[in-house]
Amino acid sequence: MFRVGVEEEVRVCRSRTDRDSALGLEEIRALIAGQISREECIAKMQQATRRYAKRQLTWFRHQTSFPQLNLTPFSHREAVRAMTQMFLRAQE
């Protein structure tokens, strides 16, 4: 995100007054304000991302209508193929 200009994007968009909910936005604003270093900003964003992913996993775990999938060992193409096959079987 930093390599492609997220810091500059937040600087340009800082005039927004509505409640922002983008992951990492609070940390980038703290960086721009000089409250934290770039390294600390990145570490906090990584931690926030991990926490968000954990909340998602918890939510999905309680949704009984979703089959559990472990796509970790698959390439992107293989994972898409597996999900497509599952979807098509469910439509039958």
Side-chain angles (χ1 to χ4, degrees):
M1 290 170 52
F2 281 89
R3 276 187 247 127
V4 294
V6 70
E7 194 174 339
E8 185 57 32
E9 183 178 341
V10 172
R11 285 183 206 279
V12 170
C13 296
R14 71 175 170 216
S15 61
R16 290 186 56 182
T17 57
D18 60 333
R19 187 171 186 265
D20 297 304
S21 61
L23 194 59
L25 187 60
E26 180 181 341
E27 291 82 0
I28 295 170
R29 286 186 173 157
L31 170 66
I32 292 169
Q35 298 167 343
I36 60 174
S37 68
R38 185 178 177 129
E39 292 76 22
E40 187 177 0
C41 177
I42 291 170
K44 286 182 176 216
M45 289 174 66
Q46 290 170 335
Q47 183 178 31
T49 301
R50 285 190 298 271
R51 287 179 176 164
Y52 183 72
K54 186 175 180 180
R55 285 193 305 273
Q56 285 182 319
L57 289 172
T58 299
W59 184 85
F60 275 113
R61 202 172 297 120
H62 292 92
Q63 305 305 311
T64 57
S65 62
F66 293 114
Q68 289 196 355
L69 299 174
N70 180 7
L71 301 175
T72 305
F74 299 108
S75 70
H76 176 75
R77 179 170 284 161
E78 292 168 333
V80 169
R81 187 177 306 125
M83 289 185 294
T84 302
Q85 289 173 354
M86 286 181 66
F87 174 76
L88 293 174
R89 273 188 242 128
Q91 298 300 309
E92 294 175 348

